[in-house]
């Protein structure tokens, strides 16, 4: 159950972060199609790299503790975001690499690493929860659904509501705190189910 | 049975048909940012375009007199000239629309240098093809985001007109105090900012706009449209406050010397000071600017 909640939360944070990301970039790079293109492709690149890498490390002695470590990284990055977010965006702006490269570079620096780690959560949790090959399809399906459902909730909640109650930086920081809250207990937990037929 | 269905259907379609009246679509196009529809109403001799029907019209002209201003707010915006103590030399427009405002400016002040910033290249194309907009040596369009242009330009302006909309909303990054400070930094001494605020009176967005301009500039003057939900905000860089009489006299002088076909004096007399609108609304910042949500939130006293 905890794993399901985690998958849901990570899905929600990814999309909420992406929506808020557009607000982080707009003061320097505007609202052009290049900004949205950069932002979306950076998140997708991060996620796909995360899926690949997460799947790979999931085969090397997976443990719920390591899952905790995977989630702590974006948690810390998001909590610290107010310290470096504007600074990085301003720095790229002053270097002026062009109307396309500017927002792309800023997106990559700010959003790529957290989305890699958040992406890695999906295959890693899948590996942890697959107890039998007979039900693996259902397990995978459930986790995919939860992750995407989380993304929907994150998107709607952020764009319809959260933006009116707090500033962008506060919201990003709050999401980092949320990730830390769910990941720290994992460091002290043991795996409930071993891969019985992983061979 | 079929007859009944047809009768019901035509009944449903009828009001729609009436509402559209004699208007006909003469051009439409999907741009990177919007679906642009150019409409013409031969009876009213109006040609307009919109990108989102519900959010209203973005620009337009009289087909038989394209040099005139079709919209009330555009005329009101020119009252800003009375707040400048000299002749305008360098003028910036953010948001092209149909181009009628810069065109009008250029007609009465042919010696002024006009820069126009427009994000959507299709709008530039449409302004030229359907709204008789012409670039010239001293009237140039820059295809860019308004805020990025403001941040990058080395030029300083006497007047800056802010009229950039996406659908019915001003893009949030053009509503924040950080942006207004950047704009202020691009004004010459004594320069003037003119902003078209399309808003129901009142909602949270309107109140926040007043609060944000009020905080960013020494003085804010407000002109209210009578026929529309447009407000023209005029903010000055100078700390000297203008009295109504002074504005009126200046309007008279401009009217006499430039022979504008709008009633500048009449408009100048409707000036309101922002004290009358001041509330404890939140100032919008780059961190906090829920523009589109605030527009739909009513204010209760």
């Amino acid at each position: 159950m905890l794993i399901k909640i985690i998958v849901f939360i990570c899905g929600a944070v990814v999309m909420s972060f992406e929506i808020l990301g557009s607000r982080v970039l707009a003061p320097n790079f505007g609202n052009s199609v290049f900004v949205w293109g950069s932002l979306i492709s950076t998140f997708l690149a991060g996620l796909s790299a995360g899926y690949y890498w997460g799947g790979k490390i999931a085969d090397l002695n997976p443990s719920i503790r390591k899952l905790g470590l995977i989630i702590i990284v974006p948690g810390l990055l998001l909590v610290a975001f107010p310290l470096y977010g504007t600074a990085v965006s301003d720095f790229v702006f002053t270097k002026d690499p062009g109307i396309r490269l500017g927002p792309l570079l800023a997106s990559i620096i700010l959003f790529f690493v957290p989305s890699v780690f958040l992406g890695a959560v999906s295959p890693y949790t899948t590996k942890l929860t697959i107890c039998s090959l007979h039900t693996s399809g259902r397990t995978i399906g459930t986790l995919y659904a939860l992750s995407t459902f989380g993304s929907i909730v994150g998107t709607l909640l952020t764009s319809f509501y959260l933006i009116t109650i707090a500033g962008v930086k506060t919201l990003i920081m709050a999401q980092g705190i949320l990730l830390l809250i769910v990941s720290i207990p994992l460091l002290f937990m043991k795996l409930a189910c071993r891969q019985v037929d992983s061979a | 049975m079929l007859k009944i269905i047809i009768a019901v259907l035509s009944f449903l379609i009828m009001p729609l048909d009436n509402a559209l009246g004699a208007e006909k679509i003469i051009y439409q196009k999907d741009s990177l940012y919007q679906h642009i529809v150019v409409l013409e109403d031969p009876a009213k001799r109006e040609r307009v375009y919109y990108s989102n029907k519900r959010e209203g019209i973005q620009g337009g002209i009289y087909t038989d007199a394209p040099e005139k201003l079709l919209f009330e707010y555009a005329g009101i915006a020119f009252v800003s000239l009375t707040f400048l103590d000299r002749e305008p030399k360098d003028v910036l427009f953010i948001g092209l629309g149909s181009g009628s405002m810069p065109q009008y400016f250029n007609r009465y002040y042919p010696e002024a240098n006009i820069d126009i910033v427009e994000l959507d290249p299709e709008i530039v194309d449409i302004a030229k093809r359907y709204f008789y907009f012409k670039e010239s040596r001293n009237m140039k369009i820059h295809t860019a985001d308004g805020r990025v242009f403001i941040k990058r330009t080395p030029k300083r302006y006497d007047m800056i007109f802010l009229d950039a909309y996406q659908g019915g909303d001003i893009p949030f990054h053009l509503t924040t105090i950080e942006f207004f400070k950047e704009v202020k930094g691009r004004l010459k001494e004594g320069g003037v900012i003119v902003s078209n605020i399309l808003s129901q009176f009142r909602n949270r967005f309107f109140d926040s706009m007043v609060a944000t301009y009020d905080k960013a500039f020494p003085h804010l003057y407000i002109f209210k449209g009578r026929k529309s939900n447009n407000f023209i905000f005029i903010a000055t860089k100078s700390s000297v406050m203008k009295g109504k009489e002074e504005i009126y006299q200046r309007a008279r002088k401009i009217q006499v010397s430039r022979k504008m076909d709008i009633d500048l004096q009449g408009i100048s007399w409707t000036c309101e000071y922002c004290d009358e609108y001041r509330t404890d609304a939140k100032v919008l910042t780059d961190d906090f600017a829920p523009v589109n949500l605030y527009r739909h939130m009513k204010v209760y006293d």
Side-chain angles (χ1 to χ4, degrees):
Chain A
M1 187 62 199
L2 180 66
I3 292 227
K4 286 180 181 165
I5 293 171
I6 283 168
V7 167
F8 176 85
I9 287 176
C10 290
V13 168
V14 169
M15 280 312 293
S16 179
F17 192 34
E18 184 168 343
I19 300 259
L20 296 171
S22 74
R23 299 222 155 206
V24 173
L25 296 178
N28 281 325
F29 305 104
N31 223 348
S32 68
V33 68
F34 307 123
V35 172
W36 281 101
S38 305
L39 193 65
I40 293 169
S41 46
T42 298
F43 272 92
L44 289 178
L47 288 176
S48 64
Y51 295 151
Y52 178 78
W53 174 67
K56 217 169 139 179
I57 55 166
D59 286 342
L60 311 168
N61 249 325
S63 76
I64 204 150
R65 265 196 65 207
K66 286 184 194 157
L67 176 66
L69 291 173
I70 291 173
I71 302 170
I72 278 182
V73 176
L76 291 173
L77 284 172
L78 264 60
V79 167
F81 194 86
L83 299 177
Y84 64 82
T86 311
V88 167
S89 175
D90 287 351
F91 176 76
V92 176
F93 177 81
T94 53
K95 294 286 162 209
D96 192 13
I99 50 169
R100 292 172 183 80
L101 211 54
L104 185 61
L105 217 59
S107 296
I108 290 171
I109 301 172
L110 290 173
F111 308 120
F112 184 73
V113 175
S115 49
V116 168
F117 281 88
L118 288 168
V121 169
S122 285
Y124 207 88
T125 48
T126 308
K127 177 86 179 197
L128 287 178
T129 38
I130 288 177
C131 300
S132 127
L133 277 183
H134 294 294
T135 57
S136 62
R138 183 185 301 173
T139 311
I140 293 169
T142 307
L143 293 181
Y144 273 34
L146 276 173
S147 167
T148 305
F149 184 61
S151 291
I152 298 168
V153 171
T155 307
L156 289 180
L157 211 60
T158 307
S159 52
F160 285 11
Y161 181 64
L162 292 178
I163 271 184
T164 58
I165 62 163
V168 171
K169 284 177 188 156
T170 315
L171 292 175
I172 292 177
M173 208 164 83
Q175 288 171 6
I177 293 170
L178 185 66
L179 290 179
L180 292 181
I181 290 173
V182 295
S183 60
I184 288 170
L186 299 181
L187 301 178
F188 308 100
M189 283 171 68
K190 288 239 167 64
L191 212 56
C193 144
R194 305 224 167 265
Q195 282 81 9
V196 277
D197 47 9
S198 60
Chain B
M1 187 63 196
L2 190 67
K3 273 184 186 167
I4 298 172
I5 294 172
I6 291 170
V8 169
L9 277 179
S10 50
F11 181 74
L12 286 174
I13 292 166
M14 207 170 59
L16 189 75
D17 199 25
N18 282 345
L20 289 172
E23 286 178 359
K24 60 174 195 284
I25 294 172
I26 55 174
Y27 181 75
Q28 47 186 326
K29 168 110 191 192
D30 283 305
S31 78
L32 283 170
Y33 298 98
Q34 52 207 322
H35 178 75
I36 308 163
V37 180
V38 181
L39 276 182
E40 187 159 321
D41 186 332
K44 287 198 268 178
R45 298 196 189 83
E46 288 176 9
R47 184 183 290 171
V48 299
Y49 83 85
Y50 62 78
S51 58
N52 180 337
K53 206 163 188 180
R54 255 189 51 207
E55 302 285 10
I57 285 157
Q58 304 275 323
I61 52 166
Y62 292 106
T63 45
D64 56 348
E67 73 285 356
K68 284 195 173 158
L69 292 171
L70 173 60
F71 300 115
E72 182 196 26
Y73 88 85
I76 299 176
F78 281 93
V79 80
S80 55
L81 288 160
T82 61
F83 291 83
L84 191 72
D85 295 328
R86 54 177 182 268
E87 301 292 284
K89 275 202 192 72
D90 296 290
V91 183
L92 175 66
F93 285 85
I94 296 196
L96 173 67
S98 64
S100 51
M101 273 168 73
Q103 198 103 296
Y104 192 83
F105 201 105
N106 180 246
R107 189 175 152 216
Y108 291 99
Y109 291 89
E111 70 281 9
N113 286 306
I114 301 175
D115 285 320
I116 305 154
V117 183
E118 170 57 50
L119 179 61
D120 190 341
E122 288 300 336
I123 295 289
V124 176
D125 190 45
I126 281 169
K128 288 178 179 169
R129 280 166 58 195
Y130 293 96
F131 298 97
Y132 308 102
F133 185 83
K134 281 189 200 74
E135 276 185 275
S136 61
R137 196 180 50 77
N138 55 358
M139 185 158 66
K140 288 204 171 61
I141 300 178
H142 308 262
T143 309
D145 182 279
R147 184 148 183 192
V148 178
F149 182 89
I150 285 278
K151 285 187 113 151
R152 296 256 183 237
T153 184
K155 275 187 83 170
R156 297 294 177 270
Y157 295 94
D158 298 297
M159 306 179 79
I160 299 179
F161 288 77
L162 303 178
D163 191 17
Y165 276 81
Q166 229 160 39
D169 289 323
I170 302 178
F172 91 91
H173 64 304
L174 308 181
T175 64
T176 66
I177 188 143
E178 291 91 340
F179 173 62
F180 296 151
K181 285 185 174 158
E182 288 161 12
V183 172
K184 199 167 138 193
R186 297 296 172 264
L187 278 182
K188 296 184 203 166
E189 269 322 299
V192 178
I193 300 286
V194 192
S195 182
N196 170 30
I197 308 287
L198 173 62
S199 173
Q200 296 288 335
F201 182 72
R202 308 152 42 212
N203 55 32
R204 280 223 209 175
F205 169 68
F206 180 86
D207 285 0
S208 277
M209 239 33 264
V210 173
T212 312
Y213 273 97
D214 191 25
K215 194 171 177 196
F217 295 94
H219 294 294
L220 171 65
Y221 310 86
I222 295 174
F223 293 83
K224 189 181 182 312
R226 283 176 193 167
K227 297 180 237 163
S228 63
N229 283 323
N230 292 85
F231 289 81
I232 293 294
F233 282 23
I234 293 180
T236 54
K237 197 178 182 180
S238 153
S239 55
V240 182
M241 181 132 132
K242 300 261 185 204
K244 259 194 169 177
E245 185 59 32
E246 192 188 347
I247 301 165
Y248 183 77
Q249 291 306 334
R250 181 97 180 109
R252 207 169 61 116
K253 232 173 116 183
I254 294 168
Q255 192 97 61
V256 169
S257 67
R258 301 280 166 172
K259 299 182 181 62
M260 291 184 148
D261 64 3
I262 48 172
D263 179 17
L264 216 53
Q265 283 161 277
I267 297 165
S268 76
W269 205 243
T270 66
C271 178
E272 294 178 274
Y273 295 92
C274 83
D275 324 356
E276 296 158 42
Y277 288 95
R278 206 173 275 146
T279 60
D280 56 354
K282 275 195 169 177
V283 169
L284 300 186
T285 64
D286 281 350
D287 193 51
F288 183 83
V291 172
N292 44 1
L293 293 167
Y294 263 22
R295 268 188 66 220
H296 298 105
M297 289 163 103
K298 293 210 163 60
V299 187
Y300 303 100
D301 287 309

